Amino acid sequence: MITLQHAYIIGGFFFAALALLSILDRTNARRLRNAAFYALLALSFWAGHALGDLGNGLLALGLVIIAVFGLGQGKPPTTTQEERRASAEERGNALFLPALIIPAVALAGTLIVQHTEWGGLIIQDQHKTLVSLVLGVLIAITVLMVWLKPPLLAPLEEGRRLMDSVGWAAILPQMLAALGAVFLAAGVGDQVGALFSQYIPLDTRTVAVAAYCIGMALFTILMGNAFAAFPVMTAAIGLPFVINELGGDPARVCAIGMLAGFCGTLMTPMAANFNVVPANLLELPDRNAALNGVIRAQIPTALPLLLANIVLMRFLAFP
């Protein structure tokens, strides 16, 4: 049976490979920092379950310290712009096929485990979606290797190029999700719920749903990630009011609530990996502004989507 631990092992091998390739890349003056950063990530994937709270806390502090001193950007071997243009013209939209394989396999694997008896013998039921997602990535890479016949290390080198370009912000979602869990353990959700109930009557479905979705978006704007906002806002409004008191379906409430949070992600510079890094990579003239061109372009989409999520939850989340 393929379990979540197997997925972690694969992730660990990926970051360990990045660490080794970084050490060997003499074009990167900060290659040792990059190697240490990726090695710590590999260690967290391989042995995080055995390190305990103190060990994982020290590991996280190590990542932060390395990020503060700054990572470098290597120059792994890659194709030229002319070669990429020629490949795109030759293969056209078929180049999107590997990218589509990943969600297709993730969906198929989830449905197979959920609706067949034999699926659970292949993939761990508790983590079927995540394990299927990793399988989708491996299958997509295999298709690319057979189809395009790139150098054997091309997937790792291109992965390193992307990770070096994004830098420390690549792990920002995980860090913020952990911060959301800390806030929940500290009772922030209860305090936020008490504050909302004191000033907003949450005794009707429409008001409670609107408060939950808007709260998810606003808290995401403050935190920078919907995964950080989710445990707090769900404990504050989603679970006690929308689900327990008003009878909302937990799966639908939580799924749409996350989508509402993602609307906040589109509108905040706190989501550095989504909104600041792309502005820097594109070298936008206002990339240092609080509301850079990426965020301003996304706000007209985010606000209607937030309204749509409120309407969807109001009419679809209640039996």
Side-chain angles (χ1 to χ4, degrees), residues 150-294:
L152 187 61
L153 292 180
L156 295 174
E157 292 286 18
E158 291 299 327
R160 180 167 69 93
R161 181 175 63 83
L162 179 60
M163 286 293 297
D164 285 355
S165 299
V166 176
W168 61 266
I171 65 169
L172 189 59
Q174 291 89 336
M175 289 290 191
L176 291 175
L179 181 61
V182 172
F183 278 9
L184 179 62
V188 175
D190 296 334
Q191 296 301 318
V192 173
L195 184 65
F196 269 78
S197 61
Q198 182 177 355
Y199 294 100
I200 301 175
L202 300 175
D203 53 352
T204 64
R205 292 178 175 178
T206 300
V207 174
V209 164
Y212 178 46
C213 291
I214 294 174
M216 276 292 300
L218 291 177
F219 209 78
T220 299
I221 289 173
L222 294 176
M223 298 292 293
N225 192 281
F227 291 103
F230 180 76
V232 176
M233 292 309 303
T234 301
I237 301 176
L239 186 59
F241 295 101
V242 181
I243 295 175
N244 290 341
E245 186 171 326
L246 299 173
D249 177 79
R252 296 180 181 182
V253 168
C254 293
I256 300 175
M258 282 296 294
L259 292 176
F262 295 150
C263 295
T265 302
L266 297 174
M267 299 186 287
T268 176
M270 292 296 292
N273 51 328
F274 291 107
N275 301 330
V276 177
V277 170
N280 288 330
L281 292 178
L282 294 171
E283 297 183 351
L284 298 182
D286 63 346
R287 56 185 177 273
N288 294 322
L291 295 179
N292 59 44
V294 172

Side-chain angles (χ1 to χ4, degrees), residues 27-268:
T27 64
N28 184 0
R30 298 178 175 179
R31 63 183 184 275
L32 295 181
R33 296 183 195 175
N34 286 39
F37 189 82
Y38 296 138
L40 286 177
L41 287 175
L43 178 62
S44 70
F45 275 81
W46 280 341
H49 63 285
L51 292 177
D53 294 339
L54 178 60
N56 281 297
L58 292 175
L59 190 151
L61 287 176
L63 290 172
V64 172
I65 291 172
I66 296 173
V68 168
F69 281 101
L71 299 176
Q73 186 167 350
K75 296 180 179 179
T78 186
T79 55
T80 65
Q81 185 174 356
E82 290 73 19
E83 289 173 331
R84 291 192 290 272
R85 182 181 295 110
S87 177
E89 292 175 352
E90 177 184 354
R91 297 176 176 87
N93 291 333
L95 286 172
F96 290 101
L97 177 62
L100 296 176
I101 289 176
I102 299 174
V105 173
L107 177 61
T110 301
L111 294 178
I112 288 173
V113 174
Q114 186 173 347
H115 296 288
T116 66
E117 295 182 359
W118 55 269
L121 301 176
I122 301 175
I123 299 175
Q124 185 181 25
D125 180 64
Q126 296 93 321
H127 305 286
K128 52 184 176 292
T129 301
L130 184 56
V131 173
S132 299
L133 179 65
V134 174
L135 288 176
V137 172
L138 296 178
I139 292 173
I141 291 176
T142 302
V143 170
L144 280 172
M145 296 298 289
V146 173
W147 179 26
L148 302 181
K149 297 180 175 58
L152 187 61
L153 292 180
L156 295 174
E157 292 286 18
E158 291 299 327
R160 180 167 69 93
R161 181 175 63 83
L162 179 60
M163 286 293 297
D164 285 355
S165 299
V166 176
W168 61 266
I171 65 169
L172 189 59
Q174 291 89 336
M175 289 290 191
L176 291 175
L179 181 61
V182 172
F183 278 9
L184 179 62
V188 175
D190 296 334
Q191 296 301 318
V192 173
L195 184 65
F196 269 78
S197 61
Q198 182 177 355
Y199 294 100
I200 301 175
L202 300 175
D203 53 352
T204 64
R205 292 178 175 178
T206 300
V207 174
V209 164
Y212 178 46
C213 291
I214 294 174
M216 276 292 300
L218 291 177
F219 209 78
T220 299
I221 289 173
L222 294 176
M223 298 292 293
N225 192 281
F227 291 103
F230 180 76
V232 176
M233 292 309 303
T234 301
I237 301 176
L239 186 59
F241 295 101
V242 181
I243 295 175
N244 290 341
E245 186 171 326
L246 299 173
D249 177 79
R252 296 180 181 182
V253 168
C254 293
I256 300 175
M258 282 296 294
L259 292 176
F262 295 150
C263 295
T265 302
L266 297 174
M267 299 186 287
T268 176

